[in-house]
Amino acid sequence: MALASLEMTRKMKRKDPEAYQRLVKRLFCNELDDDFEESDFIYEPDSSRKDSTGCLTGMKRVKSQETLEIAESRVSALYQVIEYLGLGRNVTEEGIFRKSGSLKKQQDLMERIDKGEEISFENGDFTTHECASVLKTFLGNLSEPLVTNSCYLAHLQVALHADKHAQDDQATVVEKQIFCTQLLLELIPEEYFKLLKDLLFLLHGVSQREDQNKMSSSNLGMMFSTHILCPKSMSPEELLSKVGLFTKAATFLIENPSILFTLPEKLLGEVHSCRKRLAKRRSQEDQGMERLVTNTFFNLNLDMFNNKGRRIASS
């Protein structure tokens, strides 16, 4: 049953994405009661702010990165950087995401990523810190955060909900927080979903070695919150006023990637029920059509019989 529901859910997401997203949004809003409405998923930018590039503010961007979009070739090259950073000797590097290294080498690596080139790290051309800085720059140059503009407010609402219920049973609060976040991750486009997943597993691995690299999950949450959650058009003033909430939301993502990227049973059940209702409705429509065709055929035959009778009578 669970396997069938999982396959049914994947099929619905692939073949009827609009209906799937409506279902996911409805479940999310119901879970938060009156705290969030479906209309809140619509993002309307207020003002512009400069991209956050972390320690690379002095780096010159290549032209094609001024409005950087996720392309398969770029992402394939970036995954090489993420995979390299995930190696044991790198995740234990002290201050892995704090130090920068050579700006010239970072520029060279960024250009190679932009071109989608195959990159070898074994020859020592790029240090761990240079790779980590380039990863942050790439994320900072994307046109929107990894959770997307339309979902960022929902993630903040989940974090705010947890704060509001800090005195309640924490197991229940965390369970709801996990479920809501699982739903929100299902709303992310595939290319952002995969990149966010790989990034969060990398950051989780880094945080697990805090005693060596001095990077806790909250440190990483603060550092990456703008790349993961914050719309690029948000003003510096608004960003500053919400930095604590952004950090909490990002930290929660970093601490729980293993469970957050699984499909909740409640969603599987809802999809199963939805498909059953749809199949039943289609069956009823098919039966109605059959009756209509049968009645039409019967009426035509009856008309033909009556017309023939009239012709005989008149002769």
Side-chain angles (χ1 to χ4, degrees):
M1 175 65 179
L3 186 60
S5 297
L6 179 61
E7 183 57 36
M8 190 179 294
T9 301
R10 288 173 175 166
K11 184 177 180 181
M12 182 181 183
K13 184 178 182 180
R14 183 176 64 253
K15 292 195 171 184
D16 196 354
E18 290 186 4
Y20 184 74
Q21 292 218 354
R22 286 197 300 270
L23 174 61
V24 170
K25 289 177 181 178
R26 177 174 59 79
L27 281 175
F28 178 84
C29 294
N30 289 345
E31 192 68 19
L32 287 186
D33 301 321
D34 298 327
D35 290 339
F36 204 85
E37 299 179 356
E38 288 191 40
S39 58
D40 292 324
F41 281 103
I42 300 175
Y43 174 71
E44 296 179 356
D46 297 321
S47 58
S48 297
R49 70 175 176 86
K50 295 181 180 179
D51 290 341
S52 171
T53 54
C55 58
L56 294 180
T57 52
M59 180 188 289
K60 177 183 175 184
R61 285 202 219 168
V62 293
K63 184 176 181 180
S64 60
Q65 288 172 332
E66 292 181 3
T67 54
L68 186 61
E69 299 292 343
I70 289 185
E72 186 176 349
S73 59
R74 284 197 186 103
V75 172
S76 296
L78 185 68
Y79 285 148
Q80 298 175 64
V81 176
I82 294 176
E83 184 178 356
Y84 176 70
L85 289 173
L87 296 177
R89 66 178 183 271
N90 294 326
V91 292
T92 58
E93 187 80 26
E94 185 172 343
I96 176 174
F97 289 108
R98 286 201 189 100
K99 301 175 183 179
S100 59
S102 166
L103 290 177
K104 186 177 184 302
K105 285 188 176 182
Q106 291 170 57
Q107 180 67 34
D108 177 50
L109 179 56
M110 183 63 81
E111 289 176 352
R112 294 177 66 177
I113 290 173
D114 188 62
K115 294 174 183 176
E117 294 182 3
E118 189 76 23
I119 306 168
S120 174
F121 297 97
E122 299 307 317
N123 54 15
D125 285 347
F126 306 104
T127 67
T128 302
H129 297 117
E130 287 159 359
C131 292
S133 296
V134 164
L135 173 59
K136 288 195 297 181
T137 298
F138 184 97
L139 298 175
N141 290 345
L142 291 175
S143 59
E144 60 181 326
L146 291 177
V147 302
T148 71
N149 289 332
S150 60
C151 290
Y152 97 92
L153 196 59
H155 281 277
L156 295 191
Q157 192 61 49
V158 172
L160 189 61
H161 181 85
D163 280 353
K164 286 168 59 178
H165 295 270
Q167 302 304 316
D168 297 350
D169 177 60
Q170 282 305 290
T172 303
V173 173
V174 171
E175 183 179 349
K176 175 173 285 196
Q177 196 174 3
I178 288 172
F179 175 62
C180 288
T181 306
Q182 287 173 321
L183 293 175
L184 292 177
L185 295 180
E186 283 299 295
L187 300 175
I188 301 175
E190 185 62 30
E191 60 273 20
Y192 276 80
F193 180 90
K194 189 175 187 309
L195 182 53
L196 176 61
K197 182 178 180 179
D198 286 355
L199 174 67
L200 291 179
F201 272 99
L202 169 65
L203 298 181
H204 180 74
V206 171
S207 69
Q208 293 298 294
R209 295 159 178 84
E210 178 187 356
D211 57 329
Q212 296 169 281
N213 57 40
K214 313 304 180 189
M215 301 292 295
S216 67
S217 57
S218 59
N219 293 150
L220 294 166
M222 178 177 291
M223 191 173 293
F224 280 88
S225 61
T226 53
H227 306 319
I228 295 173
L229 292 158
C230 183
K232 303 306 172 87
S233 62
M234 181 173 287
S235 67
E237 293 77 18
E238 185 177 0
L239 175 58
L240 184 61
S241 68
K242 295 179 178 178
V243 67
L245 208 53
F246 274 119
T247 299
K248 287 180 182 178
T251 300
F252 181 75
L253 291 169
I254 292 168
E255 289 178 344
N256 301 283
S258 295
I259 191 169
L260 293 179
F261 285 97
T262 60
L263 291 175
E265 289 293 333
K266 189 173 182 179
L267 174 59
L268 298 179
E270 283 292 323
V271 170
H272 184 74
S273 300
C274 178
R275 304 310 287 181
K276 283 183 64 177
R277 289 194 299 270
L278 182 60
K280 183 178 180 180
R281 186 163 65 245
R282 285 176 177 171
S283 176
Q284 291 172 342
E285 290 173 353
D286 289 344
Q287 291 174 7
M289 183 60 70
E290 287 179 6
R291 286 194 294 268
L292 177 61
V293 170
T294 300
N295 291 337
T296 302
F297 183 74
F298 175 79
N299 290 334
L300 286 173
N301 285 340
L302 183 62
D303 289 343
M304 290 174 63
F305 177 80
N306 291 336
N307 289 335
K308 184 176 181 180
R310 285 194 290 270
R311 286 198 301 271
I312 293 174
S314 63
S315 62

